[in-house]
């Protein structure tokens, strides 16, 4: 029985060592992630800067035009589509290679439109998160410490969370006179200023995001020990000052993982803004796909751009969480270390 147990442990260690050897080193993973990030953001930033400056001045291919011609790849795809590679005595179809070349040619062709759509998606998400945060903080404080006034926060939060985001956008766009008011503003829709549909989307996403952020902050607010506020009152701070200077700084740190989730949610669901004609990423991709019917390739490329944005947002929020963490207080590493220590204690 003992020999069998030792043999099982030895096999487990061997399997663990083999798994570690198969897994790329962390340095290699970090290098690959860095190269992918530089390539993705290098393409986006270069595209934006060119479209805003040199492209508008008539230098190069022009604003919204591809830097490279897809024609050579298209010709190569036609060649491979009608040939079969000879592997020994067997002839293998090269249609898959022709499909890959066709996809690369299409990627070159639609890259400018996707880059422009990504800009609208990023601005829409970032502005909505920031404005939503300004509403969410007082809303969550009111819900926890507001006494009878907490029902105002509850009513707002549940109304917004209980109705679809698309319905809220339609009400703002079609049901309210916001379109008329914004359309009468001279600067709206001219030059770098987006059209009124974009500003209505900002309002809709801000309202929707503020309700979800308020709940994230409320959860973090309630996780702070009540004694913290009592201690703040004991040193002479008022209740509002205690919440502002003692409770909220801890709360906002605790809420960062939930904010990461909200940010990812908004990046993806900003595609709903396309239903009110905001030319963001999904809107542009779907319009192109409806003209050339290359749905699989175009939405595959669209998914890659969304993935790049989501992974970047997640990475930035992780860095922010580590940057503002208080040692020994609410850090992910601390919780993981504690779990490992407890596990080690249980083994002993």
């Amino acid at each position: 029985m003992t020999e069998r147990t030792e043999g099982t442990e030895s096999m487990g260690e061997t399997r663990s060592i083999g798994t570690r050897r198969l897994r790329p080193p962390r340095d290699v993973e970090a290098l690959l992630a860095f190269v992918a990030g530089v390539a993705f953001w290098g393409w986006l930033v270069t595209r934006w800067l060119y479209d805003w400056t040199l492209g508008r001045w008539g230098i190069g291919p022009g604003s919204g035009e591809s830097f490279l011609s897809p024609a050579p790849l298209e010709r190569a795809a036609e060649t491979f589509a009608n040939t079969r590679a000879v592997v020994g005595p067997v002839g293998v179809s090269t249609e898959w290679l022709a499909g890959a070349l066709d996809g690369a040619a299409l990627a070159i062709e639609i890259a400018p439109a996707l880059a422009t759509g990504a800009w609208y998606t990023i601005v829409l998400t970032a502005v909505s998160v920031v404005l939503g945060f300004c509403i969410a903080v007082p809303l969550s404080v009111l819900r926890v410490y507001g006494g009878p006034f907490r029902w105002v926060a509850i009513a707002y939060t549940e109304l917004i969370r209980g109705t679809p985001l698309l319905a809220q956008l339609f009400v703002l766009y079609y049901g309210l006179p916001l379109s008329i008011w914004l359309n009468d503003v001279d600067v709206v829709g001219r030059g770098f200023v987006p059209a009124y549909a974009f500003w209505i989307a900002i309002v809709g996403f801000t309202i929707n995001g503020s309700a979800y952020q308020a709940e994230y902050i409320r959860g973090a607010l309630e996780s702070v020990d009540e004694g913290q506020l009592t201690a703040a009152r004991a040193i002479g701070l008022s209740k509002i000052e205690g919440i502002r200077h003692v409770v909220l700084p801890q709360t906002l740190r605790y809420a960062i993982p939930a904010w990461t989730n909200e940010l990812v949610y908004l990046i993806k669901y900003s595609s709903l803004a396309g239903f009110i004609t905001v030319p963001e990423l999904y809107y542009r991709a779907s319009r192109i796909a409806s003209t050339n019917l290359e749905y699989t390739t175009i939405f595959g490329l669209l998914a890659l751009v969304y993935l790049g944005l989501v992974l970047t947002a997640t990475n930035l929020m992780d860095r922010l969480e580590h940057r503002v963490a208080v040692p020994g207080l609410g850090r992910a590493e601390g919780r993981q270390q504690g779990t490992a220590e407890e596990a080690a204690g249980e083994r002993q």
Side-chain angles (χ1 to χ4, degrees):
M1 185 66 181
T2 305
E3 291 179 353
R4 185 178 299 173
T5 305
E6 290 176 351
T8 305
E9 292 178 352
S10 176
M11 288 178 62
E13 292 176 359
T14 305
R15 189 177 302 163
S16 176
I17 292 171
T19 305
R20 285 200 298 272
R21 286 179 177 175
L22 289 174
R23 186 183 305 159
R26 286 184 177 275
D27 291 343
V28 175
E29 292 178 355
L31 179 62
L32 291 175
F34 177 76
V35 170
V38 168
F40 178 71
W41 284 102
W43 161 64
L44 275 182
V45 173
T46 302
R47 189 72 241 181
W48 294 337
L49 291 177
Y50 174 78
D51 285 345
W52 295 336
T53 55
L54 299 180
R56 289 176 180 268
W57 300 335
I59 301 174
S63 180
E65 299 295 330
S66 302
F67 293 137
L68 303 173
S69 172
L73 292 176
E74 292 172 347
R75 287 195 294 270
E78 290 178 3
T79 302
F80 282 107
N82 300 319
T83 58
R84 295 177 69 85
V86 178
V87 180
V90 181
V92 179
S93 174
T94 57
E95 286 186 3
W96 61 273
L97 184 55
L101 291 171
D102 258 336
L106 186 58
I108 292 174
E109 189 177 348
I110 69 171
L114 292 182
T116 306
W119 169 254
Y120 278 87
T121 296
I122 292 170
V123 174
L124 180 63
T125 303
V127 174
S128 300
V129 165
V130 172
L131 295 180
F133 170 78
C134 297
I135 299 173
V137 171
L139 205 63
S140 58
V141 172
L142 185 67
R143 179 157 180 177
V144 177
Y145 297 103
F149 295 104
R150 72 181 187 281
W151 291 107
V152 177
I154 292 173
Y156 175 87
T157 304
E158 297 307 323
L159 173 65
I160 301 302
R161 290 199 310 160
T163 52
L165 173 57
L166 189 57
Q168 295 166 13
L169 290 176
F170 281 163
V171 168
L172 290 171
Y173 189 75
Y174 296 109
L176 299 179
L178 286 178
S179 304
I180 300 173
W181 296 342
L182 289 171
N183 203 29
D184 290 340
V185 179
D186 290 336
V187 295
V188 172
R190 296 189 179 187
F192 289 98
V193 181
Y196 62 87
F198 179 81
W199 301 107
I200 292 176
I202 290 280
V203 174
F205 279 92
T206 297
I207 293 173
N208 187 272
S210 67
Y212 285 93
Q213 289 190 66
E215 281 301 283
Y216 299 148
I217 298 172
R218 180 181 69 85
L221 204 60
E222 292 175 341
S223 68
V224 178
D225 196 310
E226 292 182 4
Q228 299 276 343
L229 186 56
T230 305
R233 300 294 302 274
I235 62 173
L237 296 178
S238 66
K239 186 175 182 179
I240 294 178
E241 289 173 336
I243 294 171
R244 161 70 180 81
H245 296 289
V246 177
V247 178
L248 272 181
Q250 300 176 56
T251 297
L252 299 183
R253 290 185 175 95
Y254 292 157
I256 288 177
W259 262 318
T260 304
N261 189 44
E262 173 66 12
L263 194 55
V264 170
Y265 164 85
L266 275 181
I267 289 173
K268 294 186 299 180
Y269 283 84
S270 63
S271 59
L272 294 178
F275 288 92
I276 58 171
T277 69
V278 176
E280 47 70 56
L281 195 51
Y282 175 81
Y283 178 84
R284 288 176 184 269
S286 61
R287 298 271 292 187
I288 296 171
S290 64
T291 56
N292 59 17
L293 304 181
E294 296 281 355
Y295 284 97
T296 303
T297 305
I298 289 176
F299 282 105
L301 295 170
L302 177 68
L304 288 178
V305 179
Y306 272 119
L307 186 62
L309 297 179
V310 167
L311 291 179
T312 302
T314 304
N315 187 270
L316 290 177
M317 294 301 285
D318 285 343
R319 289 176 181 273
L320 176 64
E321 184 182 3
H322 286 82
R323 180 81 176 174
V324 302
V326 177
L329 183 65
R331 295 186 64 176
E333 289 89 350
R335 291 192 291 271
Q336 290 166 2
Q337 287 169 6
T339 303
E341 290 170 1
E342 290 172 4
E346 290 176 359
R347 289 195 200 99
Q348 293 173 356

